[in-house]
Amino acid sequence: MHKPIHTLSVSKPVCVWTAQALLGEGTLWSVNKQRLYWVDILGHALHAYEPVQHQKTIWQLSQEITAVAECSHTDQLLVTLKHAFAYFDLTTQALTVLHQPENEIATNRFNDGKCDVHGKFWAGTMDAQGLQPTGHFYRFHANGSCTHVPCGFQVTNGPAFAPDGQSMYLNDTVGGRVLRCQLNRHGDVVGTPEHWLRFDTSDGFPDGMTVDKDGRVWIAHWGGGCVTCHDPHTTHELARITLPCSQVTNCCFGGAQLQTLFITTASVGLSPSQIQEQPLAGAVFSVETTCQGLPSPLFTP
């Protein structure tokens, strides 16, 4: 028998930052700082939003930054750059490159990423043009070692982790598929990823995602203008949040009770007329929910 899942409701989305990001992504809620981190990959910028103080901060970088994690052992952030895992010092803005797993694939770049409950950072790569099936996932350890999980996706997104830590979701964005992997007690992938959910092209393409404490999977839809919530056992759609822009990229739970869903969007790829029709493309939105997210794990030695 599966554990019953509580019913949920969601509010209408509210724009909290009219950022006009080219490619908003990489959402991370800091429980310690009560702050939302997010990135504009193509704008080469890290952002922080503190809802209580209504404070917004931007760190401009010299290259792409694609995903972010807090660390247990340093005040720096662990980030993925175009080709590397690195530490980023918020005070000095210094970058310390740690590891480059794909030196031989110059046309790839990192995309989405998150820490697992074991304190290891998972990040996916992709063909920079989203055309060649050269994207894979990597699990980076604080000792510098890195595990390669071959996938062969044109664009990778995710991961997201089940609350019990026994499974992980990955998105094959161009293929329109969500895959699920089984994990052992150390957090390593066991066996072959299995097909979990496929979207029709009318729904756009599965982009970034998160999981709430009841295991429901929340998925942003690139080109679909929405975030959908799915039952972890049946994959049935439980809720749909419609956004006033088409390129919806990523989401995470935050706020004092982890009940606010923050959503990033993008403006890249839209024509001038589409930008005119979607003036909030590239903005960050918040949605109040009756469910609760999970605290983001820290990158840990």
Side-chain angles (χ1 to χ4, degrees):
M1 291 290 291
H2 296 302
K3 179 182 176 182
I5 293 180
H6 301 107
T7 57
L8 66 92
S9 62
V10 297
S11 71
K12 291 184 178 180
V14 173
C15 177
V16 298
W17 194 335
T18 311
Q20 297 181 316
L22 288 173
L23 185 54
E25 272 280 8
T27 54
L28 172 80
W29 178 258
S30 168
V31 172
N32 291 334
K33 297 184 182 296
Q34 290 294 290
R35 167 189 290 180
L36 173 73
Y37 289 108
W38 64 279
V39 303
D40 181 353
I41 296 177
L42 299 181
H44 300 182
L46 170 67
H47 301 70
Y49 170 61
E50 298 178 33
V52 174
Q53 294 84 5
H54 300 288
Q55 183 172 332
K56 300 170 183 175
T57 307
I58 302 174
W59 294 268
Q60 194 66 46
L61 280 69
S62 61
Q63 62 174 293
E64 289 100 323
I65 176 172
T66 75
V68 181
E70 290 188 299
C71 303
S72 67
H73 57 295
T74 173
D75 287 335
Q76 299 180 98
L77 297 176
L78 179 77
V79 302
T80 42
L81 305 174
K82 184 175 184 178
H83 297 301
F85 295 96
Y87 284 132
F88 178 65
D89 190 305
L90 293 171
T91 303
T92 67
Q93 300 190 42
L95 282 166
T96 305
V97 172
L98 302 172
H99 182 61
Q100 296 180 242
E102 289 188 344
N103 284 326
E104 75 285 0
I105 314 178
T107 54
N108 266 15
R109 70 162 173 83
F110 271 114
N111 198 36
D112 203 1
K114 285 186 180 72
C115 268
D116 62 22
V117 294
H118 302 276
K120 311 301 186 280
F121 191 79
W122 286 84
T125 59
M126 58 172 279
D127 174 57
Q129 302 302 316
L131 300 175
Q132 301 302 316
T134 54
H136 305 287
F137 279 91
Y138 295 88
R139 189 185 189 216
F140 184 63
H141 303 238
N143 64 9
S145 63
C146 192
T147 304
H148 176 212
V149 180
C151 292
F153 298 164
Q154 291 160 272
V155 177
T156 62
N157 267 292
F161 301 94
D164 62 9
Q166 295 181 17
S167 58
M168 172 178 70
Y169 300 92
L170 306 174
N171 281 346
D172 170 12
T173 296
V174 176
R177 301 183 300 157
V178 185
L179 305 180
R180 183 167 59 185
C181 308
Q182 298 304 311
L183 306 175
N184 64 20
R185 63 188 181 90
H186 303 292
D188 301 308
V189 174
V190 178
T192 304
E194 62 182 6
H195 171 78
W196 188 71
L197 177 63
R198 182 183 292 276
F199 291 101
D200 188 87
T201 53
S202 62
D203 267 331
F205 302 91
D207 207 306
M209 57 184 165
T210 192
V211 173
D212 66 30
K213 76 169 188 178
D214 288 320
R216 292 169 291 217
V217 184
W218 300 72
I219 303 171
H221 291 242
W222 176 270
C226 66
V227 172
T228 55
C229 173
H230 298 267
D231 186 288
H233 310 303
T234 66
T235 76
H236 290 164
E237 184 177 307
L238 304 174
R240 177 173 291 235
I241 301 166
T242 301
L243 283 299
C245 36
S246 59
Q247 315 294 56
V248 184
T249 54
N250 207 300
C251 58
C252 76
F253 283 95
Q257 304 302 319
L258 295 177
Q259 291 187 305
T260 302
L261 189 70
F262 290 102
I263 303 167
T264 52
T265 65
S267 60
V268 68
L270 298 179
S271 67
S273 62
Q274 288 174 316
I275 292 288
Q276 198 168 29
E277 294 166 359
Q278 303 176 37
L280 291 178
V284 179
F285 297 86
S286 68
V287 173
E288 299 306 318
T289 76
T290 54
C291 54
Q292 191 172 38
L294 297 163
S296 299
L298 304 177
F299 184 62
T300 306

